[in-house]
Amino acid sequence: HELFSIRALLPVLIEEAEKRTGIRLHQSTSWLAGKVVIAIMSRTNVPGWGRELPQRAGAGLPETRAEGYRICVEDSKTIWVIGADARGTLFGVGQLLRRLDWEHGKLKLAIPLDLATAPAYPIRGHQLGYRATANSYDAWDVAQFDQYIRELTFFGVNSIEGIPVHDSKPSPVM
């Protein structure tokens, strides 16, 4: 049972690219011929675009294992992010965001690119011990805390343990 949908990843990619470049990517459920396309899907949720997914032959490929993904560029116009499952797709989108070269008004991806990976461990977590002495997230607002968790996900974290510590300094994030 997946906790999020592939469709929910598109706004994340669009928001993160726009924050960093000022460029708002367009979202479409149909193939845009002649345009640069970032095609995002999981092997369990393949849209009916009428396009062949780029596939490699072989057994045990990383992009077919739990939380694995493949990112490849085809014909300099199509960037494929294909997850083995919804989480793999999420981590693939995170990897794409980390590989993009951006500045205000520009968004580029170095090509050729064809990478596939899957996690070595089933649990990859981060512990958030909340205390006033951290001198960082105790002063964050909800949006900053949300961004921190989003960025942890981009780097492949699949679990977060929150350890609230009650002290005299209340915060809206706790």
Side-chain angles (χ1 to χ4, degrees), residues 114-128:
D114 191 350
L115 68 92
T117 189
Y121 302 101
I123 301 292
R124 299 164 318 280
H126 186 71
Q127 190 178 72
L128 300 174

Side-chain angles (χ1 to χ4, degrees), residues 59-117:
L61 296 170
E63 65 267 31
T64 63
R65 296 196 317 254
E67 298 185 351
Y69 60 87
R70 181 176 179 211
I71 301 174
C72 61
V73 177
E74 181 181 69
D75 64 35
S76 300
K77 290 272 189 194
T78 306
I79 302 164
W80 294 94
V81 180
I82 308 167
D85 49 31
R87 283 184 177 202
T89 308
L90 172 66
F91 300 137
V93 167
Q95 178 69 245
L96 176 63
L97 284 166
R98 294 193 320 269
R99 288 192 171 263
L100 288 169
D101 182 19
W102 45 37
E103 59 186 82
H104 187 74
K106 292 184 182 177
L107 187 61
K108 298 177 191 173
L109 182 65
I111 55 174
L113 176 64
D114 191 350
L115 68 92
T117 189

